[in-house]
Amino acid sequence: MCVKLTGKHRGIGNLIRYYIQASEPERPLHFYCSSSGNAGLACVSSARQLGYPATVVVGTNTKPLMLAKLKAAGATRVVQVGASWAEADRHLREIELKNDPNGIYIPPFDHPKIWEGASTMMDEIADQMCDIDGPDLVVCSVGGGGLFAGIMQGLDRNYDRDVKVLAMETKGADALNLSLEAGELITLPSITSIAASLGALRVSETAFQQAQRSHVVSAVVKDAEAAMGCWRFLEDERLLIEPSCGASIVVCYDGRLKKLLPELTSDDKVVIVVCGGSSITMDLLAEYKQTYGRCVE
Ligand SMILES: *Cc1c(COP(=O)(O)O)cnc(C)c1O
């Protein structure tokens, strides 16, 4: 097994860099994002690293932990408005962006430059695995499908053969799985999973199309399993991750991967994308263990 660390910076950072390169050098661009999670954080830190300001508009339900992280990352402003992401996003588009002619909207997952950035992960994995002819399976978590679409693009670029991909979601944030079942893109009425970073109500059209390819398998785990993935991974690898990432990690435990893909053999090379996430603390993980420990052990 090969563990590869990643983050949202590959995708969102690539999008921000694209806008900077495409605009006149003197134009004082200002980036705006409405994600209170890792996408917002990646927007702020990528923009700051490239020397540009970024503002994040988030709902009033945003955790103090993430507000503090956004500010610490150097956000020009963190605006709290609206009861939900949709309301925060509307405020961003209709007020903030309208008032700033140099404002640029940064979506969390639905942009070709985000997929292009995320796809570079597969180039590095292909390099690192060149002696053993690459992976047989890649496991990743799916929110709106930006990471997944990037992985598919990167695999197509690096391999002539179809490398299997296991697309993981949690129950209550399973927009891709339900869309595949329905045979059309569906929109969830709400997110009911603790895996907030997978909480897109609807996946992108591109992610939905890619997921219909025959070598992609979509699977859903319970919140309890995603949480268990977090504490087991912390014990085994000493890395602290969110349940959004735990949803992929948990396939390593108690024979879950074999159950999902019975054709897999012990010779197959499996890459699990450790998407990580910032919205987690030891206290929160302890709470998850308290709540879910008995359901999974
Ligand atoms: C954003 C994110 C994902 C995947 O998001 P997509 O919207 O599918 O690109 C997975 N895990 C974590 C921790 C994330 O922050």
Side-chain angles (χ1 to χ4, degrees):
M1 186 193 303
C2 164
V3 174
K4 178 78 190 167
L5 282 165
T6 180
K8 277 221 163 41
H9 293 83
R10 277 179 203 266
I12 301 224
N14 191 53
L15 176 60
I16 288 178
R17 197 180 52 178
Y18 158 77
Y19 279 124
I20 293 170
Q21 285 171 348
S23 79
E24 309 92 75
E26 296 311 312
R27 192 167 161 215
L29 300 178
H30 190 129
F31 296 96
Y32 290 84
C33 187
S34 59
S35 158
S36 60
N38 301 313
L41 205 52
C43 172
V44 173
S45 55
S46 300
R48 297 298 299 137
Q49 274 176 37
L50 295 165
Y52 287 82
T55 287
V56 187
V57 180
V58 298
T60 49
N61 56 351
T62 302
K63 282 191 228 156
L65 171 72
M66 289 311 284
L67 293 174
K69 289 199 177 196
L70 288 165
K71 286 175 190 157
T76 305
R77 282 182 304 139
V78 180
V79 183
Q80 264 197 290
V81 60
S84 64
W85 171 80
E87 285 177 42
D89 191 62
R90 192 172 329 120
H91 174 88
L92 194 165
R93 288 167 183 275
E94 292 177 4
I95 311 284
E96 302 289 341
L97 276 175
K98 289 233 165 89
N99 288 334
D100 184 350
N102 292 308
I104 294 200
Y105 181 75
I106 298 297
F109 56 82
D110 198 357
H111 195 290
K113 289 287 164 188
I114 293 181
W115 314 328
E116 180 188 270
S119 78
T120 61
M121 184 196 323
M122 286 322 309
D123 300 338
E124 286 170 40
I125 289 173
D127 269 356
Q128 291 170 15
M129 296 179 83
C130 63
D131 293 348
I132 50 172
D133 196 30
D136 299 297
L137 170 71
V138 178
V139 184
C140 74
S141 297
V142 176
L147 175 63
F148 166 74
I151 287 170
M152 295 300 287
Q153 193 181 97
L155 283 172
D156 285 340
R157 186 166 59 234
N158 282 285
Y159 300 105
D160 297 330
R161 65 197 162 90
D162 285 338
V163 176
K164 231 176 224 138
V165 175
L166 180 57
M168 300 300 300
E169 295 176 294
T170 51
K171 191 94 209 112
D174 44 351
L176 177 64
N177 190 267
L178 290 173
S179 295
L180 291 168
E181 252 172 44
E184 61 180 344
L185 257 181
I186 59 109
T187 305
L188 297 174
S190 64
I191 300 298
T192 55
S193 166
I194 58 169
S197 301
L198 306 186
L201 297 175
R202 190 182 171 92
V203 301
S204 75
E205 179 73 45
T206 298
F208 178 56
Q209 277 169 11
Q210 290 285 0
Q212 291 174 70
R213 294 169 69 184
S214 60
H215 57 288
V216 176
V217 176
S218 156
V220 177
V221 291
K222 296 186 199 114
D223 274 356
E225 295 176 281
M228 184 262 268
C230 298
W231 69 71
R232 300 272 299 260
F233 195 59
L234 179 65
E235 284 158 13
D236 290 344
E237 303 292 335
R238 296 171 312 286
L239 288 169
L240 184 59
I241 56 170
E242 286 181 21
S244 302
C245 177
S248 285
I249 297 298
V250 76
V251 303
C252 303
Y253 294 118
D254 308 324
R256 280 182 177 74
L257 189 52
K258 189 78 189 160
K259 256 182 230 150
L260 287 171
L261 300 170
E263 70 275 21
L264 219 64
T265 72
S266 53
D267 289 336
D268 283 329
K269 289 148 285 166
V270 179
V271 171
I272 317 258
V273 176
V274 184
C275 44
S278 289
S279 191
I280 184 76
T281 60
M282 287 302 290
D283 286 350
L284 193 51
L285 185 59
E287 257 179 56
Y288 289 149
K289 196 163 183 181
Q290 186 82 34
T291 310
Y292 297 113
R294 234 169 298 158
C295 315
V296 285
E297 277 167 335

